[in-house]
Amino acid sequence: MITDILIEIALAIGRMFLNPVLYVSIIVAVILGYQRVKRERKYFHVRILWGWTEAIGLIKDGLLFALIISILSIAFGLTVPLELLFVLTIISLIALIIYVFHILSPIILFALSILVLWAFDYLGWKINLFGIEINGITMSEGTVVTATILAGLLVVAEGLLIRKKGAQIASPIVENSKRGLRGVAFTSKRAWILPIFLVIPGSVIDAYFPWWPQFSLGSTQFSLILFPVVIGFQQLTRSKLPIYFYPKLGRAVIILGEIVIIGGLVAYFLPFVGFLTLIVGAIIRIGISYIYSTGQQKDVYAVSAKSGGVMIAGILPNSPAEKMGLVVGEIIRKVNGVEVQTERQLYEALQVNAAHCRLEVLNHEREVRLAQHVVHNNDHHQIGLLIAE
């Protein structure tokens, strides 16, 4: 039996590479990186993160969450029908192609998929795709229960990814306000793939793919599939610094995920609750994005030119600035004892002592602190700082 299980797992992994979502997601991630680097060079003449950052993090960032959800999915027997996976795949592909990542929030993905399947049942529609017949589902089916619980788990993962990665991937852009002033906004747009092991009822797989290997535990037959769930995220912040904005947004999404999980557990006894939880959860998720977007007024910038020094708009990785603990939103008042007001003055003050950099910095609490670092020949000529001017 152990051999059968290992073979099943290996084949389940192989099945993921037949899913077009995987390849479209990789292409989109590469495009995201290219656009970000192009934008950063346009505004600051240098890229902040490597152009392949989005592509590398596509699967890497969510692997731990995928493993945990896979274990829970298999342990609790959260079986899903092929129809649901096909609809999820189609909606994910559409969202990726039209470049609207809000649709790729798990709660919205699952709510739309369940709505489509319910509509198929209500209207009596049937579609044959690649030899697989997609039928609808009723409110009383267990699919709604498993879909709700899986959606809740994935939304929690989405919130954790936003809280952990949102500020790290926030890319600065320069904007002109209505009053003609320049400010710096930060945009995060990212896709993550969570390869989740899902349990498929054996009879379903056997009906369409007789060659699909199955194994038995007791009297129950089932098969495994590694399904690439795509989580998309996009959000811009102006009036709040990324290190405060994205963790707060992530917490709101995590709380929503926890509520959805509770709704899924209740749906075990009252299936209609699961359907209602998905719909209301999707509306709340849209509302969260809307509320956090409308709070970012065009003429209010957390990062803009200041009269008391130069404000940091970005930090290059592994630069002297990062090693000194400088963060976006802090104000540099003096460099090597010289007061600075512009980027040019900053550069000139750095030349006062080319081997050592000593800064007087005003932090987010408006408290003065000192930062210093030995500058090496291969370090960035402006110690890795992007300045708001």
Side-chain angles (χ1 to χ4, degrees), residues 94-334:
I94 293 173
L96 288 167
I97 292 171
I98 66 177
Y99 221 51
V100 179
F101 283 21
H102 291 300
I103 299 175
L104 293 171
S105 174
I107 187 66
I108 296 176
L109 270 177
F110 275 82
L112 289 174
S113 299
I114 291 296
L115 270 176
V116 168
L117 291 174
W118 174 79
F120 268 54
D121 177 74
Y122 183 78
L123 299 172
W125 291 351
K126 293 183 180 180
I127 293 181
N128 191 288
L129 289 175
F130 307 107
I132 295 180
E133 189 175 85
I134 298 180
N135 299 304
I137 62 169
T138 64
M139 295 285 187
S140 59
E141 289 187 31
T143 301
V144 176
V145 178
T146 57
T148 306
I149 295 175
L150 282 172
L153 292 171
L154 287 164
V155 170
V156 171
E158 176 191 10
L160 290 171
L161 284 168
I162 294 172
R163 190 170 69 175
K164 181 180 179 181
K165 297 293 182 179
Q168 294 179 14
I169 61 178
S171 178
I173 57 175
V174 178
E175 296 182 334
N176 293 317
S177 68
K178 296 178 182 178
R179 295 177 294 175
L181 301 176
R182 298 182 58 159
V184 177
F186 298 86
T187 179
S188 288
K189 190 165 186 176
R190 193 74 172 264
W192 296 287
I193 286 181
L194 271 64
I196 308 294
F197 277 104
L198 296 174
V199 181
I200 307 294
S203 58
V204 175
I205 293 291
D206 187 57
Y208 301 112
F209 302 106
W211 41 266
W212 188 290
Q214 296 178 331
F215 59 92
S216 299
L217 291 180
S219 60
T220 303
Q221 276 196 324
F222 62 92
S223 294
L224 291 176
I225 186 171
L226 188 62
F227 185 78
V229 179
V230 183
I231 296 179
F233 169 68
Q234 62 182 82
Q235 197 81 39
L236 181 141
T237 177
R238 293 188 183 93
S239 62
K240 291 185 179 180
L241 293 171
I243 60 172
Y244 302 121
F245 178 80
Y246 292 107
K248 187 176 180 181
L249 171 60
R251 283 194 295 272
V253 175
I254 291 171
I255 293 172
L256 172 61
E258 293 169 345
I259 294 173
V260 172
I261 292 173
I262 294 173
L265 295 175
V266 175
Y268 181 79
F269 305 98
L270 300 169
F272 180 76
V273 173
F275 184 83
L276 188 63
T277 299
L278 288 173
I279 303 303
V280 174
I283 295 172
I284 293 175
R285 181 65 184 90
I286 294 171
I288 290 173
S289 294
Y290 178 77
I291 291 171
Y292 277 82
S293 295
T294 54
Q296 305 305 307
Q297 299 298 323
K298 179 85 175 186
D299 281 352
V300 180
Y301 291 92
V303 176
S304 60
K306 303 296 180 183
S307 58
V310 293
M311 178 167 273
I312 301 173
I315 304 289
L316 298 184
N318 302 315
S319 65
E322 184 181 65
K323 294 172 184 175
M324 282 190 283
L326 300 179
V327 295
V328 173
E330 290 187 321
I331 299 173
I332 300 174
R333 297 171 57 174
K334 291 183 180 180

Side-chain angles (χ1 to χ4, degrees), residues 44-123:
F44 299 98
H45 310 293
V46 65
R47 64 167 172 81
I48 299 176
L49 297 175
W50 190 36
W52 292 94
T53 301
E54 284 80 358
I56 293 174
L58 180 67
I59 297 179
K60 178 183 175 183
D61 292 346
L63 271 181
L64 177 60
F65 303 119
L67 176 62
I68 294 172
I69 295 174
S70 295
I71 293 173
L72 292 174
S73 171
I74 295 173
F76 291 98
L78 300 179
T79 57
V80 294
L82 279 178
E83 290 91 341
L84 177 60
L85 298 185
F86 267 79
V87 176
L88 283 171
T89 297
I90 292 170
I91 295 176
S92 297
L93 286 173
I94 293 173
L96 288 167
I97 292 171
I98 66 177
Y99 221 51
V100 179
F101 283 21
H102 291 300
I103 299 175
L104 293 171
S105 174
I107 187 66
I108 296 176
L109 270 177
F110 275 82
L112 289 174
S113 299
I114 291 296
L115 270 176
V116 168
L117 291 174
W118 174 79
F120 268 54
D121 177 74
Y122 183 78
L123 299 172

